[in-house]
Amino acid sequence: MSAQVAYLGTSIADWMAELSSSDPLQRRLGAYALGEIGPAATEAMSDLAATLQDPVGFVRVWAAAALARVAPSRGESAPVLIAELGNELAFVRSLAAWHLGRLGPAFPGIEQALLPLRQLAGDKDPSVRVEAALALGMLEEKGAPPPELKSLSSSAYGVASRGFVDASPATL
């Protein structure tokens, strides 16, 4: 008998049910949890794929990131994240860049993200510029942070000693 897979004591089926909640924060949480479960949550693939069409940008981003962890060979994740780099909300653009960087240079279709990420160097929001620069560094397999970051002060972002390199948007 195999153990039931769960995240934080909640089953895959229950996290899948969150994807259809009327609350976008619950939908985001469901996507995040399924991504944390990873390949063991393959039964959630079609629900996560459907959530890529969610009306809320940050939910689409988390669904794409989760689908990338559950089924990396599916081709939907990178295009959705790339599309969200153009979202009107800065935190969604920043979040999409953050996730793209973490997919890594070998992820299918990631090369299509390089130009849009470079274009974010001129974004009006500093967090978007930083996350895009960090993502480019990760995707281009550069070990050091991009030179643009040296001129940016962490105080410009309201972040004391933590900095953006160690910050996680998991609380978004």
Side-chain angles (χ1 to χ4, degrees):
M1 176 184 253
S2 65
Q4 181 179 0
V5 177
Y7 177 72
L8 298 177
T10 302
S11 71
I12 292 171
D14 288 339
W15 288 122
M16 288 170 56
E18 291 297 329
L19 296 176
S20 58
S21 170
S22 61
D23 181 352
L25 293 175
Q26 290 301 116
R27 296 193 305 272
R28 183 215 77 70
L29 184 59
Y32 173 80
L34 291 166
E36 287 297 302
I37 294 169
T42 56
E43 67 194 77
M45 286 189 307
S46 62
D47 289 1
L48 283 169
T51 307
L52 298 176
Q53 304 300 316
D54 195 278
V56 178
F58 69 85
V59 175
R60 291 189 299 269
V61 169
W62 281 103
L67 191 57
R69 293 184 75 183
V70 171
S73 63
R74 289 185 63 137
E76 300 106 326
S77 295
V80 169
L81 293 170
I82 293 166
E84 293 304 326
L85 293 174
N87 192 290
E88 64 185 33
L89 298 174
F91 88 93
V92 174
R93 294 192 306 275
S94 178
L95 184 63
W98 188 86
H99 280 294
L100 282 164
R102 277 129 191 96
L103 292 180
F107 193 83
I110 201 67
E111 66 281 352
Q112 300 300 312
L114 298 177
L115 180 59
L117 285 167
R118 285 186 191 107
Q119 291 170 336
L120 290 178
D123 195 277
K124 64 183 177 192
D125 188 275
S127 69
V128 174
R129 293 192 305 267
V130 168
E131 290 299 347
L134 288 170
L136 279 169
M138 292 173 169
L139 296 178
E140 293 173 342
E141 298 183 290
K142 295 178 183 171
E148 303 86 54
L149 291 181
K150 293 180 182 179
S151 65
L152 298 174
S153 165
S154 63
S155 63
Y157 309 106
V159 182
S161 62
R162 206 170 88 194
F164 267 91
V165 176
D166 297 325
S168 170
T171 57
L172 291 177

